[in-house]
Amino acid sequence: MTGNVLIVGAGPGLSASLARLFSSEGYAVALAARDAAKLDDLCRETGARAHSCNASDKDSVKALFETLDAEGATPDVVIYNASGRTRGPVAELDPDQVRAALDVTAFGAFLVAHEAAKRMVPKKAGTMLFTGASAGIKGFPQSAPFAMGKFALRGLCQSLARELHPKNIHVVHFEIDGVIFRDDRGEPYDDPDKTLQPDEIARTYLEMARQHRSVWTNEIELRPYVERF
Amino acid sequence: MTGNVLIVGAGPGLSASLARLFSSEGYAVALAARDAAKLDDLCRETGARAHSCNASDKDSVKALFETLDAEGATPDVVIYNASGRTRGPVAELDPDQVRAALDVTAFGAFLVAHEAAKRMVPKKAGTMLFTGASAGIKGFPQSAPFAMGKFALRGLCQSLARELHPKNIHVVHFEIDGVIFRDDRGEPYDDPDKTLQPDEIARTYLEMARQHRSVWTNEIELRPYVERF
Amino acid sequence: MTGNVLIVGAGPGLSASLARLFSSEGYAVALAARDAAKLDDLCRETGARAHSCNASDKDSVKALFETLDAEGATPDVVIYNASGRTRGPVAELDPDQVRAALDVTAFGAFLVAHEAAKRMVPKKAGTMLFTGASAGIKGFPQSAPFAMGKFALRGLCQSLARELHPKNIHVVHFEIDGVIFRDDRGEPYDDPDKTLQPDEIARTYLEMARQHRSVWTNEIELRPYVERF
Amino acid sequence: MTGNVLIVGAGPGLSASLARLFSSEGYAVALAARDAAKLDDLCRETGARAHSCNASDKDSVKALFETLDAEGATPDVVIYNASGRTRGPVAELDPDQVRAALDVTAFGAFLVAHEAAKRMVPKKAGTMLFTGASAGIKGFPQSAPFAMGKFALRGLCQSLARELHPKNIHVVHFEIDGVIFRDDRGEPYDDPDKTLQPDEIARTYLEMARQHRSVWTNEIELRPYVERF
């Protein structure tokens, strides 16, 4: 085993690719999602253990980490891969849905970083990887909640990097600029030439997790070669 | 009267300067703060009306705008000047305080933009001014909540600008980079040579509110001449 | 007279609007252009004096400032408004034209800042305004030379601001994001609703030149309300 | 052989690490430097071939590529690693030295991209890697020429990426934020804990060169874990 990895916001797509790759590289993988049952197949395939967790609830996140501690699976690497969004003209958005989206995209990332830092700071080691989006660099129209959440996530990652890098904890924000391939959702997800391949994203996550601390990246962008930006 | 202006997050400092300047330029000024009583002196001085409002509560913000509607004071210009923060190592922060800070800095700004847009979009006119900070450009260590809130605010402003500028509604994000002068708080607030003069900030807000739509600014930064950045 | 202003890269459009506005506000205006003869009408209208200058030639820029010194017209405000560009696929560009474009857009701006700083630093006062473009924020395809020149200009302005603001010299980079109105060039320059009005740009330049040093702006963006960005 | 790589601006430090790593991975390595003789040891060690080239001279760069063509060594990967700088208060800089610095840092990068694009576009394949610096993100005081050059380089890389990514040519700008380790130059270069290890930088260059086109990075930053930013 090269360490324990926790993937929060697990599901099909990127999280599954991450689970497979980190598992194949010798990591023990823990998956956390609101509905852990849907992760059964992935667990069988990768040897991962699944945990139910509401990432935007402080008690649920705390309990998740305590469970991992008890199992001897305190994470060396955490990956935050959850996000929420609601779209529409700003005048027509539902404030409750907006707040719920912010809670998942940004506040949940804070909660996971908070619990992870409690454990990594005393150990003077660890890695935190956060899945951002182009919406964290540029706020698009009719998408204020996603812009707010992903900008907040990037602000979090910059603050964490400046605070935790000198404590030997590596923090990376991945700007995923484009649509991640999914073969079960139709257009525009199913065009392999215009989307990000989740296995390839995962490879860059792994490489970043392995960077020597003399060359740590805080921000990196990934996009399909045909993506306009 | 040149119009109605609403200042949310009113108190001493910048909001008082804004109230004085916009009032002297002929605007009818409404002030909103959690504790409206503290605004009595400012109201007497500027002829402003004060309203109690919890900016991060959707019902409170909705009621504020309905009161203004009933008074014939539906705002032509809204200024969002509220923010919350809690500081410390990420492992030691109190999640409830973090969420409360995000609610004031970012979600409240959304709520005010939401109610304002409901009224401005049909009128095809309006101005929204948001007080940001250098923390919205760069995430500082031990200050994750402020970074998250002010980044989210900037994401909101970019999304709003791209959505609302073509609808003739001007959205400006002011990056206030430095400490605003206050003579009642001691160092570092009381050094007039190292701080931002609130009357001078207000002047730039007014100028931005008056920009012709052929040259609308979305982002502008203000800092003292001696500020390191 | 409220001071001397020098506008480098003078011609019709923005420079003419700047000359008119600063002149009407009491400034003595000097204009510098490769071909000074074309400025006769503008000089008659504004009382400005025109000077021939090749902004990317160090001796020419030096001579310009020495002439102004001799006339008692050493500038309190310099405005750099010259740029060059050549477009096309990177493989097809002419290197000599690329270098010439960089020289005008960026190196000339340095030369003017260099001569201005020689005079402003000892006086502990002055203002430098630089006309940038969206190409200085985002590099567009088939436009590498303009991206390089305008990025370099922004880098220059940031370096100057960090060096000169504490010396009481104000440096502003204006990101002009869009097409400036011209009624003599056809589409897309002649649509008053989709272009930047040069008189309105000039107004913001003047306001920035007048900012109190407690609230100095280094970067500001201006764009038409309908511009996509 | 997995391909031909050309490293421009070769010398000790990063270029040597790149030559060793790419060579060990099966690439045929060509090195270009103003003084090719100094590369003898590196050539012996890596099997690389050295070429004399003045990167800021269009004829010299053209001749370099034609020599490589004749040798069957037309590059599949080009790495631009040259830069020039001169420091000091803007009023005291020597304009000729400033122009020379810009020529090496930015114009030379254009010339190499120009010649490389001529060859890669018809082949519909290729990789261009450019060594940037924090000075390309933030303009530091008393360092206007380096800010101008490295900003221009970043503008070039963004323009190239938007133009060439859809043509299957990958362009990466590396922001090297910090000092690269050198054991022959004393402080601050010789502290292995505060500097970037060139072998580790090279590893990230290689990984970026190998990215699948569905996840191409255009900008990535690398810095030591203790670096302030």
Side-chain angles (χ1 to χ4, degrees), chain B residues 164-176:
Chain B
L164 299 179
H165 279 194
K167 297 180 185 298
N168 203 38
I169 297 161
H170 187 192
V171 180
V172 189
H173 174 275
F174 296 82
E175 182 204 341
I176 305 297

PDB file of all heavy atoms in Angstrom, chain B residues 164-176:
ATOM      1  N   LEU B 164     -26.301  40.646 -17.412  1.00  0.00           N
ATOM      2  CA  LEU B 164     -27.128  41.849 -17.266  1.00  0.00           C
ATOM      3  C   LEU B 164     -26.644  43.063 -18.055  1.00  0.00           C
ATOM      4  O   LEU B 164     -27.457  43.942 -18.378  1.00  0.00           O
ATOM      5  CB  LEU B 164     -27.247  42.206 -15.780  1.00  0.00           C
ATOM      6  CG  LEU B 164     -27.915  41.138 -14.902  1.00  0.00           C
ATOM      7  CD1 LEU B 164     -27.948  41.594 -13.442  1.00  0.00           C
ATOM      8  CD2 LEU B 164     -29.333  40.818 -15.392  1.00  0.00           C
ATOM      9  N   HIS B 165     -25.360  43.144 -18.364  1.00  0.00           N
ATOM     10  CA  HIS B 165     -24.906  44.297 -19.170  1.00  0.00           C
ATOM     11  C   HIS B 165     -25.726  44.424 -20.451  1.00  0.00           C
ATOM     12  O   HIS B 165     -26.203  45.522 -20.758  1.00  0.00           O
ATOM     13  CB  HIS B 165     -23.404  44.197 -19.478  1.00  0.00           C
ATOM     14  CG  HIS B 165     -22.527  44.664 -18.352  1.00  0.00           C
ATOM     15  ND1 HIS B 165     -21.183  44.922 -18.497  1.00  0.00           N
ATOM     16  CD2 HIS B 165     -22.800  44.917 -17.047  1.00  0.00           C
ATOM     17  CE1 HIS B 165     -20.679  45.315 -17.334  1.00  0.00           C
ATOM     18  NE2 HIS B 165     -21.626  45.307 -16.449  1.00  0.00           N
ATOM     19  N   PRO B 166     -25.922  43.337 -21.203  1.00  0.00           N
ATOM     20  CA  PRO B 166     -26.720  43.489 -22.434  1.00  0.00           C
ATOM     21  C   PRO B 166     -28.174  43.872 -22.159  1.00  0.00           C
ATOM     22  O   PRO B 166     -28.885  44.252 -23.073  1.00  0.00           O
ATOM     23  CB  PRO B 166     -26.634  42.094 -23.084  1.00  0.00           C
ATOM     24  CG  PRO B 166     -25.428  41.461 -22.474  1.00  0.00           C
ATOM     25  CD  PRO B 166     -25.352  41.988 -21.082  1.00  0.00           C
ATOM     26  N   LYS B 167     -28.611  43.758 -20.912  1.00  0.00           N
ATOM     27  CA  LYS B 167     -29.961  44.187 -20.540  1.00  0.00           C
ATOM     28  C   LYS B 167     -29.946  45.599 -19.956  1.00  0.00           C
ATOM     29  O   LYS B 167     -30.910  46.016 -19.311  1.00  0.00           O
ATOM     30  CB  LYS B 167     -30.559  43.199 -19.532  1.00  0.00           C
ATOM     31  CG  LYS B 167     -30.726  41.786 -20.085  1.00  0.00           C
ATOM     32  CD  LYS B 167     -31.331  40.854 -19.044  1.00  0.00           C
ATOM     33  CE  LYS B 167     -31.375  39.414 -19.565  1.00  0.00           C
ATOM     34  NZ  LYS B 167     -32.205  39.247 -20.762  1.00  0.00           N
ATOM     35  N   ASN B 168     -28.846  46.296 -20.176  1.00  0.00           N
ATOM     36  CA  ASN B 168     -28.710  47.701 -19.752  1.00  0.00           C
ATOM     37  C   ASN B 168     -28.604  47.864 -18.233  1.00  0.00           C
ATOM     38  O   ASN B 168     -28.951  48.915 -17.695  1.00  0.00           O
ATOM     39  CB  ASN B 168     -29.864  48.551 -20.293  1.00  0.00           C
ATOM     40  CG  ASN B 168     -29.492  50.020 -20.362  1.00  0.00           C
ATOM     41  OD1 ASN B 168     -28.352  50.368 -20.700  1.00  0.00           O
ATOM     42  ND2 ASN B 168     -30.425  50.892 -20.023  1.00  0.00           N
ATOM     43  N   ILE B 169     -28.139  46.837 -17.564  1.00  0.00           N
ATOM     44  CA  ILE B 169     -27.911  46.907 -16.115  1.00  0.00           C
ATOM     45  C   ILE B 169     -26.410  46.766 -15.874  1.00  0.00           C
ATOM     46  O   ILE B 169     -25.792  45.790 -16.287  1.00  0.00           O
ATOM     47  CB  ILE B 169     -28.698  45.792 -15.390  1.00  0.00           C
ATOM     48  CG1 ILE B 169     -30.194  46.006 -15.619  1.00  0.00           C
ATOM     49  CG2 ILE B 169     -28.363  45.770 -13.900  1.00  0.00           C
ATOM     50  CD1 ILE B 169     -31.029  44.772 -15.353  1.00  0.00           C
ATOM     51  N   HIS B 170     -25.841  47.753 -15.227  1.00  0.00           N
ATOM     52  CA  HIS B 170     -24.393  47.834 -15.039  1.00  0.00           C
ATOM     53  C   HIS B 170     -23.982  47.199 -13.706  1.00  0.00           C
ATOM     54  O   HIS B 170     -24.549  47.527 -12.663  1.00  0.00           O
ATOM     55  CB  HIS B 170     -23.971  49.313 -15.071  1.00  0.00           C
ATOM     56  CG  HIS B 170     -22.498  49.542 -15.053  1.00  0.00           C
ATOM     57  ND1 HIS B 170     -21.923  50.781 -14.828  1.00  0.00           N
ATOM     58  CD2 HIS B 170     -21.456  48.698 -15.251  1.00  0.00           C
ATOM     59  CE1 HIS B 170     -20.606  50.676 -14.886  1.00  0.00           C
ATOM     60  NE2 HIS B 170     -20.300  49.436 -15.128  1.00  0.00           N
ATOM     61  N   VAL B 171     -23.012  46.309 -13.769  1.00  0.00           N
ATOM     62  CA  VAL B 171     -22.535  45.590 -12.581  1.00  0.00           C
ATOM     63  C   VAL B 171     -21.040  45.866 -12.402  1.00  0.00           C
ATOM     64  O   VAL B 171     -20.259  45.645 -13.325  1.00  0.00           O
ATOM     65  CB  VAL B 171     -22.746  44.065 -12.747  1.00  0.00           C
ATOM     66  CG1 VAL B 171     -22.242  43.316 -11.521  1.00  0.00           C
ATOM     67  CG2 VAL B 171     -24.218  43.753 -13.012  1.00  0.00           C
ATOM     68  N   VAL B 172     -20.662  46.336 -11.233  1.00  0.00           N
ATOM     69  CA  VAL B 172     -19.256  46.653 -10.981  1.00  0.00           C
ATOM     70  C   VAL B 172     -18.777  45.956  -9.712  1.00  0.00           C
ATOM     71  O   VAL B 172     -19.442  45.991  -8.677  1.00  0.00           O
ATOM     72  CB  VAL B 172     -19.012  48.169 -10.819  1.00  0.00           C
ATOM     73  CG1 VAL B 172     -17.508  48.471 -10.775  1.00  0.00           C
ATOM     74  CG2 VAL B 172     -19.676  48.965 -11.929  1.00  0.00           C
ATOM     75  N   HIS B 173     -17.614  45.330  -9.825  1.00  0.00           N
ATOM     76  CA  HIS B 173     -16.938  44.735  -8.677  1.00  0.00           C
ATOM     77  C   HIS B 173     -15.731  45.604  -8.336  1.00  0.00           C
ATOM     78  O   HIS B 173     -14.840  45.800  -9.161  1.00  0.00           O
ATOM     79  CB  HIS B 173     -16.470  43.315  -9.039  1.00  0.00           C
ATOM     80  CG  HIS B 173     -15.634  42.652  -7.974  1.00  0.00           C
ATOM     81  ND1 HIS B 173     -14.278  42.846  -7.863  1.00  0.00           N
ATOM     82  CD2 HIS B 173     -15.964  41.802  -6.976  1.00  0.00           C
ATOM     83  CE1 HIS B 173     -13.802  42.138  -6.847  1.00  0.00           C
ATOM     84  NE2 HIS B 173     -14.809  41.488  -6.297  1.00  0.00           N
ATOM     85  N   PHE B 174     -15.704  46.148  -7.133  1.00  0.00           N
ATOM     86  CA  PHE B 174     -14.590  46.976  -6.673  1.00  0.00           C
ATOM     87  C   PHE B 174     -13.662  46.129  -5.812  1.00  0.00           C
ATOM     88  O   PHE B 174     -14.079  45.604  -4.783  1.00  0.00           O
ATOM     89  CB  PHE B 174     -15.102  48.158  -5.839  1.00  0.00           C
ATOM     90  CG  PHE B 174     -15.951  49.117  -6.612  1.00  0.00           C
ATOM     91  CD1 PHE B 174     -17.298  48.853  -6.827  1.00  0.00           C
ATOM     92  CD2 PHE B 174     -15.413  50.276  -7.151  1.00  0.00           C
ATOM     93  CE1 PHE B 174     -18.093  49.726  -7.561  1.00  0.00           C
ATOM     94  CE2 PHE B 174     -16.204  51.152  -7.888  1.00  0.00           C
ATOM     95  CZ  PHE B 174     -17.548  50.878  -8.090  1.00  0.00           C
ATOM     96  N   GLU B 175     -12.434  45.958  -6.268  1.00  0.00           N
ATOM     97  CA  GLU B 175     -11.454  45.292  -5.420  1.00  0.00           C
ATOM     98  C   GLU B 175     -10.816  46.343  -4.519  1.00  0.00           C
ATOM     99  O   GLU B 175      -9.986  47.137  -4.970  1.00  0.00           O
ATOM    100  CB  GLU B 175     -10.367  44.614  -6.278  1.00  0.00           C
ATOM    101  CG  GLU B 175      -9.354  43.878  -5.415  1.00  0.00           C
ATOM    102  CD  GLU B 175      -7.997  43.696  -6.094  1.00  0.00           C
ATOM    103  OE1 GLU B 175      -7.903  43.807  -7.325  1.00  0.00           O
ATOM    104  OE2 GLU B 175      -7.017  43.483  -5.356  1.00  0.00           O
ATOM    105  N   ILE B 176     -11.229  46.347  -3.263  1.00  0.00           N
ATOM    106  CA  ILE B 176     -10.648  47.274  -2.285  1.00  0.00           C
ATOM    107  C   ILE B 176      -9.419  46.584  -1.707  1.00  0.00           C
ATOM    108  O   ILE B 176      -9.538  45.622  -0.939  1.00  0.00           O
ATOM    109  CB  ILE B 176     -11.667  47.611  -1.173  1.00  0.00           C
ATOM    110  CG1 ILE B 176     -12.962  48.150  -1.782  1.00  0.00           C
ATOM    111  CG2 ILE B 176     -11.054  48.599  -0.182  1.00  0.00           C
ATOM    112  CD1 ILE B 176     -12.836  49.437  -2.547  1.00  0.00           C
TER     113      ILE B 176
END
